[in-house]
Amino acid sequence: MKRRDFSTVGLTALLAGIVFPAFPSTGFSEQRKPSIPALPDQRKLWSWIKRLNSFGPRLTGSPAQARAIDYLAGELRGMGLEVKRDQLTMRRWMPRTTAFKLSNGEVIEVAAPFPYSGLTPPGGISGKMVLFNGRVQAFEKARGKIAVVTVKRRDLAAFLELVTNRRGSLPEGIDFPKAVTTPLITGLLGVPIDKAREAGVLAVVCIFEGVSEVQLKGQVLPFTTPYWGLPAIWVAQSEGERIKAAIKHGLSGRLTLDGTLEDVATDTIYAVLPGCNLLETIIINTHTDGPNACEENGGAGVLALAHYFSSLPKSARNRSLVFVLVTGHFQLPQFGRHGNQATATWLEMHPELWDGKPGHAKAVAGATIEHLGCTEWRDDFAKGHPAPTGKPELDLIYTSNKSMSGVYIAAARGRKKVRALIVAPAAAQVMLGEGQPLYASGIPTISSCPIPDYLCQVLPGGGLDRLDPDYAFQQVETFARTVDLLDRMPRGEIGIVPFNLSTVIGDLL
């Protein structure tokens, strides 16, 4: 056996015999959860999650996000860490009024504005409507008019099957659901607003088919496009049928998407916790922007790990830990680099903490925490609303090699609530979540990225009631063990990120 393949059996022995007390030798489901001294308890973790949610939707560059960042920085400073800030600037699009009305006076319910599409004058834009039923090749026939485009829901499970390779699951036998109704992939693929603008279209109405109106309401999708300068909205299928009927009767429409476009500042924060070996680091990261209680609450998990590891004597930490909370995940065009996600900006600004070049530390591993405590809800299009299934949301765990998969499996041993599918990305650019830039930069990673149906949705009360505090705590506890294991492992046993073409392309750009 190669040292790089460090077996799960060996990791289990390390976990049981060195890091934490031995577990009972009974079956997986019967093992009791061990305690981790100095890790904040479930109540404390939940208080952090609730506090972050209390600021409201924390979209990139918003005052709510700024308050959340200040709060996280204050908590880290209270643990004795020196918090540093990268102040970045962005062009922030913020809608105030979103409406659509037919020329006969009928009001069409708007599910959500299309982020960073464009803005209208306060009185809106009027024009005849042209229907595009399905994928649009060219918008020329809608020049000077409002384009109405139907978008069929695409299955997230099918996408993940295509772009990931399965390494394992906890418990055994977990697989991708047969159908996942989240709007995420459909929303990210979106509609080519840029082509509509080039064709001289006045505005775009996107009819999202196959998703209930309740499920679509407040979705912030996509977050992967720049400002196009052409206003666009999402409407549900039921409202779309009314628009189609209006088009047949020769009616016009008036779209209002009034708002602001301004330059604002937004900060990434980070802190370094020195270990005995200052030339090697482990990066623990998440992002701070999102529309609800789960997206993004990873900062609470980072606080828990920072509290735990900072409470240990320096001699107990082999490597330096770098806690990174980035801005920009919900405006990737302004904060990503070379097709990578927002953490790529921080990596570009701080090579001394990870790239291993002369005089720089080398990041031997990374751990990414996102979307803690999600329970599974599935949309019922026939009934017109989503409902809970009673299960924890599937935890998508990306691992960069077999050794890292073994680390995660060992760290999760003894959990009562676990529903995890361990996968490897087929290429760096198709990996979801803020662990992606680490992987693309050649840093071996373990990245958690559950994708609940409501992930990108502005919800009443932030959707806090859809989170399970105990599930969130067990996820964080697993990451505490994960980082502890990685810190104790020789670098050669952690392994490397396999060669992949997308990583090479990113290095050349």
Side-chain angles (χ1 to χ4, degrees), residues 146-158:
I146 296 174
V148 177
V149 183
T150 61
V151 181
K152 295 186 182 298
R153 179 179 62 80
R154 301 192 184 187
D155 189 5
L156 174 64

Side-chain angles (χ1 to χ4, degrees), residues 245-420:
I247 292 174
K248 288 182 179 179
H249 288 89
L251 298 180
S252 299
R254 175 178 290 274
L255 189 151
T256 302
L257 184 47
D258 180 30
T260 59
L261 188 65
E262 58 183 343
D263 292 327
V264 299
T266 180
D267 293 353
T268 283
I269 59 174
Y270 67 100
V272 180
L273 182 61
C276 295
N277 182 358
L278 300 179
L279 294 180
E280 292 186 349
T281 60
I282 297 174
I283 296 173
I284 301 166
N285 74 311
T286 191
H287 62 94
T288 58
D289 43 349
N292 56 39
C294 80
E295 174 79 280
E296 183 52 67
N297 63 21
V302 171
L303 291 180
L305 297 193
H307 183 280
Y308 168 50
F309 286 103
S310 64
S311 70
L312 302 177
K314 182 179 179 181
S315 59
R317 297 187 300 272
N318 179 30
R319 301 176 172 103
S320 296
L321 305 181
V322 186
F323 302 98
V324 184
L325 299 99
V326 303
T327 188
H329 185 77
F330 267 74
Q331 234 315 276
L332 291 178
Q334 298 190 62
F335 293 92
R337 294 291 185 272
H338 312 311
N340 299 317
Q341 298 194 29
T343 300
T345 296
W346 182 86
L347 291 170
E348 183 177 84
M349 295 178 69
H350 301 285
E352 73 282 359
L353 294 173
W354 69 273
D355 73 2
K357 292 181 179 179
H360 293 180
K362 174 67 175 178
V364 301
T368 305
I369 305 173
E370 297 184 56
H371 321 155
L372 293 167
C374 299
T375 60
E376 185 180 71
W377 288 55
R378 287 288 174 254
D379 191 29
D380 189 326
F381 181 67
K383 292 183 179 179
H385 60 81
T389 67
K391 299 178 182 178
E393 181 62 48
L394 180 68
D395 201 348
L396 194 64
I397 303 293
Y398 288 99
T399 60
S400 55
N401 57 43
K402 291 181 179 179
S403 180
M404 297 293 267
S405 298
V407 168
Y408 181 81
I409 290 170
R413 187 169 180 245
R415 273 177 59 176
K416 295 291 186 180
K417 293 181 180 179
V418 61
R419 187 175 177 230

